[in-house]
Amino acid sequence: IGYLSPHKLQVEQENCATGPPPEIPMEETVEAELRWKDITQLLQDKLSSQAFDTILRKDGMRQAGSKEDLNLADRIFNEFKKQNMDPWTDIHYVQLQSPDSKRPNRVIFGSNDFHPQGYLAYSAPGRVEGKLVYGNYGCQEDLDVLQKNHIELNGCVMLLRAGKISFAEQVDNAATKGASAVLIYPDSKDYSYNADTALYGHVHLGSGDPYTPGFPSFNHTQFPPTRSSGLPKIPAQTITASIAKTLLQEIGGLDANDNFTGGFPSLTYRLGGKENITVEVNNVLVNTEIHNVFGVIKGLADPDRYVVLGAQRDTWDNGYAKSTVGTSVLVELAKAIQEMVDKDGFRPRRSLVFASWTAGEYGTVGATEWLEAYMTSVDKNVLSYINLDGVSLNVSDCQWTEFLQTTDIWNNNDDDDNFMRRMRPMSIDDPAYPFLASFGIPSISFHFISPNVSIDAYPYYGTSLDNMDHLNYKTDQKTSKIAVSAAQLAGQMALRLVHDHIIRLDVSHYTSILNKAIGRIYTRVNQLTQVLKGVDPSWLTKARGNFWRAADDLKIAIQNSDLSDKEACRILNGRVMRIERNLLSPYVSPIDTPFRHFLLGRGPHTLTSIAESTDMKQLHTYLALASWGVQGCASAMEGNVWDINNVI
């Protein structure tokens, strides 16, 4: 996690452990004649809504690996080549799942035999029959309501409405409770579009090609057959709202409470558990060649350290907001910055890499395969990842999804409290999530939306309705202007990171996350004092204290640094860059537990899971490992081995 600011670092309230963080000396120039405000003005001058008006008129389906996808990849490659950005292509052979044209997926309920058009990639194939149960959104608390009402979940087919959490999490939650299959539909309360609109997505609780977990899909013959632990073991299928309404009309059972009630008029939502339903999923795996395309603007002082800006290129259907806008921002931003280098004397210290990914709709496949292929160098050299997918969703304001925390770059008058209210945790299906949680790269996603509106207020993802007309309607015909603002915002973040002598990533913003997580662990351990003999969470508290002290020492070293000493700056930046990747647990397998981040990952090793564990032996083990993991991160910040204090 990091914190970017073109002024002084934001100061947290003082606490007894850390005190106020010191300021980082402000820098104004790359060269004497080119100040930071000149750089930002140049960027602003080179990005125009007129240019976006032209390129954003292009729309259309580009499924991963298709002719259309490869043609766009070639056009982006040629544009990067035209800009002298030394482009290259990264090719992988991945397993993508598609419906079988000869054996369509089916849902059989009474006399109805439905053949839904949409599907969920990486569903388990098979035919199952069970009692139909309505489970609202499929969140843990929803399934608890079903169990409190004595609804039998073992062997049931669970009907869930889309939203709140990812499709993969919905299926995983249902499978954990014993469901034999899952059906997911867009309820009219959440998605006010045509009731016959098909819905697409994936259900891999992970990222990348799930048949090469933890290693790249260059050539399957080099690796033994392997399956990701995040692949579901039960069939899952999307259905339209009209099909779901038919099922809900005949589901039977107890009346659902108000929280379970959707938007179908003249329909009483019931929990079911009475009527049988059959689900048949016949999806097939297709070995597909995919191309990631890259261009680079090389830095002068530290060219081997770079910021990556990326956008997904493929779509389920039109994918206008999901793909077209982000890809346009990527290309236009690359052209603008390259022109600043060629014509205006801008000389970045570090490099900028522009990446066009594919197979993003299947779970960030293209990006993850690249990360897996080059993990030995990428995690040490990438300062940050800036995701450009879905940047324009609604009219005004800017809502962020977590981690590399950026503030008054875009609004100098915004106070820290107001900014933090705009933050929200990054979801598991965010394209930037694997960069952070699997590879320890500080990452950010951001979205321009209306005030007090959820990111889910753009309802067309995963449907044919994600097109130019619908996005223009949602943005009040301001799509091009918002694209310009998104390019300026992403560009300023990237330029700040490659411009300054010292990288502006502030680890002190982990303070509140650590405090909350460790507080919950203390509460849990105190509840289990009779069972957990000899377990002392104070080890973790002391490791946290060492983390804080190391962070303060690093800030003081930065504050007192000589910005003209290039080697000293490089050493300090190296200490900053080590922090995030040292929050990845070295004690879990990336095959079984891909999201290895102690604080923001997913799995039994995370501080959140430790606080919720019911397995006493596992709690004891992972508490010890987490304590040493936090201490290891503190040690990484210290720098020289003779400065490290490993006493806990």
Side-chain angles (χ1 to χ4, degrees), residues 107-114 132 159 183 185 187 195-196 239-252 264 267-269 275 277:
V107 176
I108 303 169
F109 187 62
S111 60
N112 297 293
D113 189 349
F114 302 106
L132 181 62
L159 176 64
L183 298 172
Y185 77 98
D187 193 276
D196 292 320
I239 58 175
T240 64
S242 59
I243 294 175
K245 185 175 181 179
T246 300
L247 303 184
L248 288 166
Q249 286 172 337
E250 305 295 334
I251 193 171
F264 292 132
L267 175 65
T268 300
Y269 283 71
E275 303 296 330
I277 189 171

Side-chain angles (χ1 to χ4, degrees), residues 256-467:
N257 63 33
D258 290 344
N259 291 332
F260 275 51
T261 300
F264 292 132
S266 305
L267 175 65
T268 300
Y269 283 71
R270 294 187 172 90
L271 301 182
K274 303 295 183 181
E275 303 296 330
N276 283 334
I277 189 171
T278 299
V279 177
E280 182 179 331
V281 175
N282 299 309
N283 298 342
V284 294
L285 290 172
V286 180
N287 191 31
T288 306
E289 179 180 320
I290 62 170
H291 294 188
N292 296 319
V293 178
F294 302 86
V296 62
I297 298 173
K298 295 178 182 177
L300 296 183
D302 295 315
D304 59 327
R305 291 178 174 176
Y306 43 93
V307 174
V308 179
L309 300 98
Q312 170 185 321
R313 191 176 65 245
D314 66 302
T315 66
W316 288 121
D317 203 289
N318 291 311
Y320 192 73
K322 185 70 176 289
S323 170
T324 302
V325 175
T327 297
S328 301
V329 170
L330 178 79
V331 173
E332 287 301 301
L333 187 56
K335 290 165 59 178
I337 297 177
Q338 183 62 51
E339 186 174 328
M340 290 167 58
V341 172
D342 291 340
K343 298 181 179 180
D344 301 301
F346 174 54
R347 298 293 180 264
R349 287 191 174 83
R350 303 171 196 93
S351 300
L352 289 158
V353 173
F354 297 84
S356 173
W357 315 111
T358 192
E361 297 284 26
Y362 294 83
T364 324
V365 171
T368 301
E369 295 308 310
W370 178 72
L371 288 166
E372 290 174 343
Y374 305 104
M375 68 171 69
T376 54
S377 59
V378 164
D379 66 343
K380 297 177 179 64
N381 295 339
V382 178
L383 278 67
S384 177
Y385 178 65
I386 301 173
N387 173 46
L388 301 176
D389 295 337
V391 292
S392 176
L393 298 180
N394 216 297
V395 180
S396 58
D397 216 359
C398 184
Q399 173 152 346
W400 300 86
T401 42
E402 181 104 59
F403 0 77
L404 191 122
Q405 299 174 0
T406 23
T407 180
D408 52 359
I409 287 177
W410 60 280
N411 186 349
N412 290 336
N413 297 319
D414 225 15
D415 61 73
D416 197 50
D417 289 339
N418 187 33
F419 166 72
M420 292 306 293
R421 286 195 296 271
R422 301 171 189 265
M423 300 288 290
R424 79 181 188 102
M426 185 179 281
S427 63
I428 192 174
D429 57 347
D430 191 291
Y433 187 73
F435 284 81
L436 175 73
S438 297
F439 295 91
I441 297 171
S443 306
I444 186 169
S445 290
F446 64 94
H447 313 279
F448 281 84
I449 64 173
S450 293
N452 304 316
V453 172
S454 164
I455 186 177
D456 299 322
Y458 185 79
Y460 306 119
Y461 276 169
T463 75
S464 61
L465 302 178
D466 182 11
N467 55 36

Side-chain angles (χ1 to χ4, degrees), residues 23 75 220 236 282:
E23 294 183 8
R75 292 201 300 272
H220 286 293
N282 299 309

